[in-house]
Amino acid sequence: MTMPTLAEDQIEELTAWLSASSRNGVSPCGDSIKRGPFAECVGIGLDDAAPDLTAEIALGCLPLLIAADVPAPAFTEPQGQPVLMDRAQQVAWRAGAAKARPEGFPAVAMDGLEAGQTLRDACAAAGVDPDADRAVIGLPLYAMLPGVAMKLRPLLPVR
């Protein structure tokens, strides 16, 4: 039996955090608050061009590209969740903050992808080793509105 790698453990932690952040809640008045997914993991190969996610992002979905085999995302409307930019900023912040104080979010590396760029190319350009035993999240900036992508770029990469 082989032990899971650090990257596999981090992907498992990430999916658990995303599930917890996507649970329905209850308002102070006792009303049900229905929530859609906070973000969804999209498995891609390190050397594969990122898929076109423009339509999914237009729905408000936040795809997180990871080099792992994960179930295909449903891409359902993220009702009851903050806007896409706020969710993307929170993921970037948590990834960086997890190095100092891990609190349920893994200390993954994170980088933004431009149109036609592979996860490996984005990592190389940012000085992140995609072959290290650490999970890497790609944020599909190419599919986001220009103003949103512009505000997210200064937060990346998270090494």
Side-chain angles (χ1 to χ4, degrees):
M1 179 171 131
T2 58
M3 297 296 290
T5 66
L6 176 61
E8 290 168 335
D9 287 344
Q10 289 177 329
I11 291 168
E12 189 175 310
E13 280 181 71
L14 174 65
T15 55
W17 186 89
L18 291 174
S19 291
S21 298
S22 303
R23 281 190 225 136
N24 292 337
V26 178
S27 77
C29 295
D31 297 326
S32 177
I33 300 171
K34 189 168 174 134
R35 289 197 179 95
F38 186 90
E40 299 187 66
C41 294
V42 178
I44 64 168
L46 275 174
D47 298 308
D48 296 338
D52 180 10
L53 297 164
T54 309
E56 291 80 1
I57 288 177
L59 286 174
C61 300
L62 176 59
L64 302 176
L65 306 174
I66 58 174
D69 289 328
V70 293
F75 288 125
T76 57
E77 182 182 352
Q79 64 186 45
Q81 293 287 1
V83 296
L84 181 131
M85 186 177 73
D86 292 347
R87 288 179 283 138
Q89 286 175 325
Q90 185 174 25
V91 170
W93 178 82
R94 285 186 175 274
K99 292 182 189 87
R101 51 179 217 290
E103 295 175 359
F105 198 93
V108 297
M110 187 171 176
D111 200 8
L113 272 75
E114 301 301 335
Q117 198 173 33
T118 67
L119 196 51
R120 184 180 304 279
D121 292 341
C123 287
V128 173
D129 182 2
D131 295 314
D133 188 22
R134 186 168 162 214
V136 177
I137 296 175
L139 198 58
L141 298 176
Y142 61 88
M144 296 180 183
L145 292 173
V148 172
M150 182 181 73
K151 289 178 181 175
L152 293 172
R153 276 189 186 90
L155 305 175
L156 303 168
V158 175
R159 293 185 179 96

